[in-house]
Amino acid sequence: MEAKIESAVSQEKFNWRKFVVEQNSVIILALLLIFAGCSSNMFFTKNNIVNILRQQAPYMVVSLGVMMVVMTGGIDLSISSIVAIGSIMTTVCLTFWGFNTGFGLFMTIVISVLSGTIFGIINGYLVANWNIKPFIVTIASSN
């Protein structure tokens, strides 16, 4: 009986349409990379890859946080406002303390991360304890 099951599995035909539908974002990314690599001979250099990763690091960190919310079935529409608050706090703190002191840079990082964390905790508290829909809470806190 096991031989029949194995032979049925091995004879299954590869479904290209299903593959393209399930992996469309990977295919599009691959096509974009091929296009960019063919457009410029400098695209796949070490300096350019490091530069791209350095520029995208903040977006990667933010998207990891949003990914956790989406994986649990929620939605967070206030992320852009919370990032803006963190940026404003960074600007205010650096203007006040300056770049030169280690204390000023440390406090700037702490205060800007803490401001985003506080707004995230407020949103989470309202969703979890008051049973308000995440859509409503995050739209309200983004205004």
Side-chain angles (χ1 to χ4, degrees), residues 85-114:
I85 288 171
S87 299
I88 290 168
M89 294 306 294
T90 300
T91 304
V92 168
C93 290
L94 285 177
T95 303
F96 183 72
W97 282 304
F99 287 100
N100 299 331
T101 62
F103 174 77
L105 188 59
F106 174 75
M107 288 306 294
T108 298
I109 293 170
V110 168
I111 289 173
S112 59
V113 168
L114 195 61

Side-chain angles (χ1 to χ4, degrees), residues 26 29 34 39 55-58 74 92 97 101 110 118 121 129 133:
V26 175
L29 178 64
I34 291 169
S39 298
Q55 289 176 357
Q56 298 305 317
V92 168
W97 282 304
T101 62
V110 168
I118 288 170
I121 289 172
N129 294 338
K133 298 289 183 194

Side-chain angles (χ1 to χ4, degrees), residues 24-102:
N24 62 0
S25 58
V26 175
I27 293 170
I28 291 171
L29 178 64
L31 290 174
L32 285 172
L33 288 173
I34 291 169
F35 176 75
C38 292
S39 298
S40 171
N41 59 354
M42 300 296 288
F43 184 74
F44 287 115
T45 61
K46 178 185 170 191
N47 288 338
N48 191 45
I49 299 293
V50 168
N51 186 29
I52 290 171
L53 291 176
R54 210 175 269 154
Q55 289 176 357
Q56 298 305 317
Y59 302 115
M60 290 181 208
V61 171
V62 169
S63 66
L64 285 174
V66 173
M67 180 187 71
M68 299 303 253
V69 172
V70 171
M71 285 175 54
T72 59
I75 186 167
D76 190 356
L77 301 173
S78 66
I79 192 68
S80 59
S81 299
I82 292 174
V83 168
I85 288 171
S87 299
I88 290 168
M89 294 306 294
T90 300
T91 304
V92 168
C93 290
L94 285 177
T95 303
F96 183 72
W97 282 304
F99 287 100
N100 299 331
T101 62

